[in-house]
Amino acid sequence: MRKTDGNLLLRVALGLFAIGLVALAVLFLMTPITGESAPLFVYLLTMCAPLGFLLGLIFALRSGRRQRAERRNPTGDTRAN
């Protein structure tokens, strides 16, 4: 996996998490401000927060594993010693 692919995963995770947090704020503030319940799409967008969190965890685990492998073999040589 290339480094740019990992950065893309992190950006997607952060974007989804941010969308989910904004949707959560709208969900909780909609009733006191307007007196009506939030529309269905707001409830569905709140599911982006845990999805983004999960993708962030996957990114962290994959990047940690990649760094450990690079420390073990800094030359990038794939042959056995």
Side-chain angles (χ1 to χ4, degrees):
M1 185 172 151
R2 292 186 320 233
K3 192 171 187 168
T4 57
D5 293 339
N7 289 339
L8 178 65
L9 180 62
L10 179 62
R11 289 178 189 209
V12 169
L14 288 174
L16 285 174
F17 189 71
I19 289 170
L21 288 182
V22 169
L24 277 169
V26 169
L27 180 68
F28 284 115
L29 295 175
M30 187 88 168
T31 303
I33 292 174
T34 65
E36 299 176 4
S37 64
L40 178 64
F41 76 90
V42 174
Y43 284 97
L44 295 176
L45 282 177
T46 59
M47 294 306 296
C48 289
L51 181 61
F53 183 75
L54 180 65
L55 287 176
L57 284 176
I58 291 171
F59 168 78
L61 292 173
R62 290 182 76 179
S63 66
R65 183 176 298 158
R66 192 178 326 124
Q67 285 181 354
R68 210 172 340 146
E70 288 174 0
R71 251 186 285 151
R72 249 186 277 137
N73 191 5
T75 61
D77 189 12
T78 57
R79 292 178 292 149
N81 291 332

